[in-house]
Amino acid sequence: MKSLKILLPKSQPTNPNPQPSMLRDRRLLLLLAAGSLTTMAGGVVAPVLPEVVQQLQLNPVLAGNLVSMHCLTIALFSPFLGILADRFSRLKVLVPSLILYAIFGVAGALMSNFWPLLATRALLGAASGGIAAASLGLLGSLYEEPERSQAIGYATSTLTLTGILFPLLGGWVGASHWQFAFYLYAVGLPLALLALFFLPEKQQQPGKGLALDGKQLSALLKRSQTLRLLLTLSLASGIMYAFLIYVPQYLKQTLAAGTVVNGIVLASTAIGAALISALGSSRISQKWGLDRAIALGFGLMAAMLVAIAQLDTLSAIVPAAVFFGVGFGLALPSLYAALANLAPSTMRSSLLAAGTGAGFLGQFLSPVFLGPVLGAGGITAVFYAAAIVAMVAGLLLVAPSR
């Protein structure tokens, strides 16, 4: 018996001064903007969720699914739409997905009952899955190494930045009325028009050796280390989404907070995650190892969840939210790095895509499992339950295994 040890990847040379021509490439900027819409899907709605529940008189136990429903359909539709994008045309998947994203997103503002609103959220997620699959495929086809790695780095930074921006934007726009936050999804229409004119793609060549790769990928996915990392990644995303869903409700109960305060607290979490990802996670992983870095991140998340359940002032909750984000920002990138280390380069994208699907599945299941906890024990019981899950997830990475 031995503990799960995860090796750090070999350091790669980086260019501290990216090519100016790449930074001015409008195709890159357009793909970054389109890809960020997957973050927007839940980010602009979470701060106004308490107002949606109150004004539409929704069941609070079920209402959390409105923020997470798109995660399930992203997980379900991304692989299928990715196959269509590779087989036919990435642009022919991206443009309709952007249009449908705008239509289904704005349609949520017109719904007055839970189930029709939930249906629009599910369809929004399906469109988001097409955007994610096609934009990443186009990003990879536009550049060769090392520019391709640099472009992916820009994409990661953009998602972190929009994770801070969209909760603030949703809280600010939704302060007048919750429906206004849903109108932000209309940005998909001009992006679709710009993509149609500015993203001509190269001819796609059919892949070779797909049957062999499929067998190898299947064997890789069945490995105990892979399954453990996928499960842990799913739990990490589920815990983060529990924070995103239930902290605004806690703030409303405890502080009578509005949408702007909700957006500030959620953005504080994203700031903590961005800071540790940029400044500290790599150093901690190199010094302690990925497995211990992940466990540390989960431990910090658990501690902050317990702390927030005891706090009743905004001046104390905001620092706790920042440190919760630090824990998440330490755990999640380390999990993806560990997952990438298990696969050869020819299967790395496929395995990371499986990790993305596991993460979105965890986000969807979060309110499904924690909703009954809310009904039985109240909002503080949700925080304690999520803290227990965080501790268990951290132990998965240091527990003995064959």
Side-chain angles (χ1 to χ4, degrees), residues 353-371:
T356 301
F360 277 112
L361 184 61
Q363 292 178 23
F364 168 74
L365 292 177
S366 178
V368 173
F369 286 106
L370 292 177

Side-chain angles (χ1 to χ4, degrees), residues 75-374:
L76 292 176
F77 281 85
S78 291
F80 171 71
L81 292 172
I83 293 172
L84 289 182
D86 285 335
R87 182 174 179 82
F88 298 104
S89 167
R90 299 181 182 98
L91 194 61
K92 290 180 180 177
V93 171
L94 179 62
V95 172
S97 296
L98 287 168
I99 295 173
L100 293 175
Y101 180 95
I103 294 173
F104 296 139
V106 173
L110 308 178
M111 302 301 156
S112 58
N113 296 310
F114 174 77
W115 294 110
L117 181 55
L118 186 67
T120 64
R121 303 296 298 170
L123 293 171
L124 177 70
S128 299
I131 294 171
S135 61
L136 185 58
L138 280 166
L139 197 65
S141 67
L142 285 176
Y143 302 103
E144 301 295 336
E145 293 293 346
E147 287 80 8
R148 179 184 298 162
S149 296
Q150 186 65 58
I152 294 174
Y154 287 143
T156 304
S157 300
T158 301
L159 290 176
T160 302
L161 179 62
T162 53
I164 300 171
L165 173 64
F166 286 142
L168 286 172
L169 184 61
W172 177 62
V173 174
S176 299
H177 196 284
W178 64 266
Q179 290 176 318
F180 295 161
F182 285 79
Y183 296 149
L184 293 172
Y185 294 120
V187 71
L189 291 177
L191 287 178
L193 186 61
L194 292 172
L196 193 61
F197 284 101
F198 296 125
L199 291 177
E201 62 175 321
K202 302 174 183 178
Q203 291 292 327
Q204 298 171 213
Q205 300 296 328
K208 298 181 180 180
L210 295 179
L212 178 61
D213 288 345
K215 292 179 181 180
Q216 292 177 344
L217 180 60
S218 177
L220 179 61
L221 290 173
K222 292 178 181 178
R223 291 177 57 185
S224 61
Q225 287 181 323
T226 305
L227 294 174
R228 185 182 296 199
L229 285 171
L230 290 175
L231 175 59
T232 309
L233 207 158
S234 181
L235 292 176
S237 298
I239 294 166
M240 181 61 176
Y241 229 64
F243 188 94
L244 184 69
I245 293 171
Y246 295 110
V247 163
Q249 298 185 38
Y250 178 75
L251 293 173
K252 190 172 183 66
Q253 289 182 13
T254 307
L255 306 177
T259 58
V260 174
V261 172
N262 292 339
I264 291 173
V265 173
L266 296 180
S268 299
T269 306
I271 290 172
L275 287 176
I276 192 64
S277 297
L279 303 177
S281 62
S282 177
R283 295 178 182 178
I284 294 174
S285 298
Q286 290 177 358
K287 184 176 181 179
W288 289 14
L290 283 172
D291 50 355
R292 292 183 178 87
I294 296 167
L296 175 63
F298 276 114
L300 189 56
M301 291 168 68
M304 292 303 102
L305 285 167
V306 173
I308 289 174
Q310 309 298 321
L311 300 175
D312 56 4
T313 62
L314 185 62
S315 60
I317 291 174
V318 168
V322 172
F323 280 106
F324 178 89
V326 169
F328 181 75
L330 181 59
L332 194 69
S334 301
L335 280 167
Y336 274 110
L339 198 62
N341 291 345
L342 295 180
S345 59
T346 54
M347 292 188 293
R348 192 161 292 156
S349 297
S350 298
L351 188 58
L352 291 177
T356 301
F360 277 112
L361 184 61
Q363 292 178 23
F364 168 74
L365 292 177
S366 178
V368 173
F369 286 106
L370 292 177
V373 177
L374 175 65

